[in-house]
Amino acid sequence: MTYIIKGDGSKEKYDEKKLAKSLKRAGADKHTIEQIKALVRKKIYNGMTTKELFGLAFREFRKLQPIVAPKYDLKGALYRFGRSGFPFEALIERILVFQGFECRRNVTSHGKAVTHEIDVKAKKGSQVLMVECKHKSKEHLTIHIQTPLYVYARFLDVKKEFTKPMLATNTKFSGHSTRYAKSVGLRLLGWSYPKDDSLQSNIEKYKAYPITMLRGITPDLLERCIKKEVLLLSDIHGKSPEQLATLLGIAFQKAKKIAEQCKVCELK
Amino acid sequence: MTYIIKGDGSKEKYDEKKLAKSLKRAGADKHTIEQIKALVRKKIYNGMTTKELFGLAFREFRKLQPIVAPKYDLKGALYRFGRSGFPFEALIERILVFQGFECRRNVTSHGKAVTHEIDVKAKKGSQVLMVECKHKSKEHLTIHIQTPLYVYARFLDVKKEFTKPMLATNTKFSGHSTRYAKSVGLRLLGWSYPKDDSLQSNIEKYKAYPITMLRGITPDLLERCIKKEVLLLSDIHGKSPEQLATLLGIAFQKAKKIAEQCKVCELK
């Protein structure tokens, strides 16, 4: 029996089926899955961290299916995304637009008591969502009860203007948070939550792949992308390397590599 | 004209009257105030920080009125107090007890949606306060709108058990926080707020001087005090140096100095 160490320090039995499932979800084909399983079987040792295990599988995945593999690192891409706060809000806005909402960002709303800055105001029919976005750039930072509590209280103050509160994050919600949200009617969108309508399933459904899925994206390049409102790979997909080089002010060779990686948008 | 630099980096004209007022409030007598004013006049320079200015005045104050002077550093004592979170809650409980409340700390309350840990539950007649304590160990960390929002939402969830929410802190509230609190009926207690019923005026009124007013208190000594539930100077005032040495496991000479400093409790 081989044990791996999770990010929070706890031990877990290594489960080959779980690995295969996550690879399959990201679009790995049978051959790739078998290759990675075999490699891991050879390299794994008691006490290997999930991070090391992920790195091992990811590098092999990238060798075998370079266009598909970045989908396997969506979580990492979301952590790298939006360190400045703004891009994550923009990503959530994009997803809501895909869902048929009309959106506005950074809306000032005059509540009963005070004025609030609302990250995203999203309208569809008679529904008006008050959306609060919480981006975390480190793993294992769960959204604890305080956040849904204050989002709900804020909603109560601006209730005239909105019909429902929503809280979006790239990380997980605590059990308290999800129970509370259900009870007061706060819509949650986060990592793996809710199961059938989670952040990653929405990203996959709408191919709203964040630009941080690009291999080895530097803070400088991310900055340039954000300035040009290039947040998703689909924003630049289809552009020629020449166009990309001009748009982002980068070398042609780099632009070529980026254009190649945008092909992930063509996958079914 | 001499300018001093405030903690947040802003400039302010040096105001001798303001200095005198704060010294008087702490109990400095006329002679002390005159001495300190003269010393500051000699030593002040353009760009002196308020921290330096405070240190200059405090050291002189301590020379002239050693028993009274620690009251001048109440803000600092509160910052040093309760780094572990617990002592500040205990201080707030003590003040509420002085105000005639019956208190319990760390109460588990089953709300409509989820279970909450309430810092202090305080009863007086038909009033039942749900008290949340926020201790900050660094200056210039204002309580922003999110905190009163979540405290109020928590109150709504446990409303069956409580009649009013309260938020206590050793620091300041933002303007948004105080406006919101007024609007929803959230009682606030903080540094200089509300003006006539602030944390420091309550501490002065009830002589609830935190143990961290002791000169040069070490983290180790603070730890010992907390273990013995010695939170306020009044908890040990009147004890002999021998008793203190035994209670806190410290040297007699140190105990003697501490006993001397407890005389602040005798001041009118």
Side-chain angles (χ1 to χ4, degrees), chain A residues 87-101:
Chain A
F88 185 68
E89 296 165 20
L91 174 69
I92 296 302
E93 180 191 25
R94 294 287 188 94
I95 288 174
L96 288 166
V97 167
F98 282 126
Q99 291 179 350
F101 286 90

Side-chain angles (χ1 to χ4, degrees), chain B residues 20-89:
Chain B
K21 204 178 151 189
S22 69
L23 289 164
K24 197 180 164 192
R25 176 177 189 156
D29 60 28
K30 272 185 190 166
H31 171 73
T32 299
I33 295 174
E34 287 313 314
Q35 292 282 100
I36 294 174
K37 271 160 61 175
L39 180 75
V40 170
R41 244 177 260 140
K42 223 164 59 186
K43 299 253 182 172
I44 201 165
Y45 58 88
N46 250 325
M48 188 182 232
T49 63
T50 49
K51 204 177 162 181
E52 284 176 274
L53 176 61
F54 171 81
L56 188 66
F58 183 45
R59 280 190 299 275
E60 188 68 9
F61 194 170
R62 219 160 44 186
K63 264 189 238 162
L64 299 166
Q65 293 184 260
I67 299 298
V68 182
K71 288 175 61 186
Y72 189 54
D73 187 33
L74 182 56
K75 199 179 193 175
L78 286 169
Y79 280 115
R80 291 189 291 277
F81 198 65
R83 276 191 187 148
S84 69
F86 145 80
F88 184 67
E89 296 165 19

Side-chain angles (χ1 to χ4, degrees), chain A residues 186-206:
Chain A
L186 166 66
R187 182 178 163 191
L188 295 182
L189 180 69
W191 189 256
S192 296
Y193 193 91
K195 232 180 169 180
D196 306 317
D197 191 26
S198 65
L199 181 58
Q200 66 265 52
S201 61
N202 272 285
I203 288 175
E204 283 160 2
K205 184 175 174 187
Y206 300 116

Side-chain angles (χ1 to χ4, degrees), chain B:
Chain B
M1 196 102 76
T2 316
Y3 283 94
I4 52 172
I5 309 292
K6 289 170 69 172
D8 62 2
S10 64
K11 264 184 9 177
E12 191 180 75
K13 261 191 260 176
Y14 167 61
D15 182 351
E16 203 176 76
K17 275 186 201 153
K18 211 173 149 185
L19 174 69
K21 204 178 151 189
S22 69
L23 289 164
K24 197 180 164 192
R25 176 177 189 156
D29 60 28
K30 272 185 190 166
H31 171 73
T32 299
I33 295 174
E34 287 313 314
Q35 292 282 100
I36 294 174
K37 271 160 61 175
L39 180 75
V40 170
R41 244 177 260 140
K42 223 164 59 186
K43 299 253 182 172
I44 201 165
Y45 58 88
N46 250 325
M48 188 182 232
T49 63
T50 49
K51 204 177 162 181
E52 284 176 274
L53 176 61
F54 171 81
L56 188 66
F58 183 45
R59 280 190 299 275
E60 188 68 9
F61 194 170
R62 219 160 44 186
K63 264 189 238 162
L64 299 166
Q65 293 184 260
I67 299 298
V68 182
K71 288 175 61 186
Y72 189 54
D73 187 33
L74 182 56
K75 199 179 193 175
L78 286 169
Y79 280 115
R80 291 189 291 277
F81 198 65
R83 276 191 187 148
S84 69
F86 145 80
F88 184 67
E89 296 165 19
L91 174 70
I92 296 302
E93 181 192 24
R94 295 286 188 95
I95 288 173
L96 288 165
V97 167
F98 282 126
Q99 291 179 350
F101 286 89
E102 264 179 64
C103 293
R104 270 176 61 212
R105 262 190 303 134
N106 301 322
V107 172
T108 301
S109 175
H110 299 284
K112 262 189 303 177
V114 288
T115 297
H116 302 266
E117 196 69 26
I118 309 299
D119 290 340
V120 185
K121 180 175 180 171
K123 273 190 196 185
K124 183 160 77 174
S126 59
Q127 202 181 152
V128 190
L129 295 179
M130 180 207 90
V131 188
E132 183 96 9
C133 301
K134 281 281 152 209
H135 181 266
K136 304 270 185 184
S137 53
K138 273 186 200 162
E139 274 191 78
H140 315 299
L141 291 173
T142 302
I143 298 290
H144 292 294
I145 185 72
Q146 286 90 337
T147 306
L149 281 169
Y150 92 64
V151 172
Y152 182 64
R154 172 165 283 165
F155 166 70
L156 291 180
D157 200 44
V158 297
K159 219 176 166 180
K160 254 192 194 169
E161 213 180 319
F162 297 90
T163 61
K164 199 179 177 71
M166 173 173 166
L167 170 59
T169 185
N170 61 320
T171 183
K172 295 199 172 192
F173 297 104
S174 70
H176 263 63
S177 292
T178 55
R179 268 204 302 288
Y180 177 74
K182 257 187 201 157
S183 163
V184 297
L186 166 66
R187 181 177 163 192
L188 296 183
L189 179 69
W191 189 257
S192 297
Y193 192 88
K195 234 180 169 178
D196 306 317
D197 191 26
S198 66
L199 181 57
Q200 66 266 53
S201 60
N202 273 285
I203 288 175
E204 284 160 2
K205 184 174 173 187
Y206 300 115
K207 295 188 174 139
Y209 298 124
I211 199 81
T212 38
M213 265 169 61
L214 287 176
R215 190 167 178 176
I217 187 168
T218 60
D220 176 59
L221 180 56
L222 178 56
E223 197 66 33
R224 282 159 193 260
C225 289
I226 289 169
K227 262 193 195 147
K228 299 284 178 182
E229 293 200 32
V230 172
L231 299 163
L232 306 182
L233 292 179
S234 57
D235 294 337
I236 47 172
H237 176 231
K239 288 200 193 304
S240 69
E242 288 83 358
Q243 288 174 315
L244 270 184
T246 311
L247 178 70
L248 300 175
I250 53 174
F252 179 78
Q253 281 306 321
K254 201 169 185 177
K256 217 171 134 188
K257 279 184 196 162
I258 290 175
E260 182 66 21
Q261 290 174 73
C262 288
K263 286 187 184 156
V264 68
C265 298
E266 293 166 20
L267 298 170
K268 260 188 282 183

Side-chain angles (χ1 to χ4, degrees), chain A residues 95-104 120-131 161-164 166 187 197 202 205-206:
Chain A
I95 288 174
L96 288 166
V97 167
F98 282 126
Q99 291 179 350
F101 286 90
E102 264 179 65
C103 294
R104 270 174 61 211
V120 185
K121 180 175 181 172
K123 274 190 197 184
K124 183 160 78 173
S126 59
Q127 201 181 152
V128 190
L129 295 179
M130 180 207 90
V131 188
E161 213 179 318
F162 297 90
T163 61
K164 197 179 179 68
M166 173 173 167
R187 182 178 163 191
D197 191 26
N202 272 285
K205 184 175 174 187
Y206 300 116

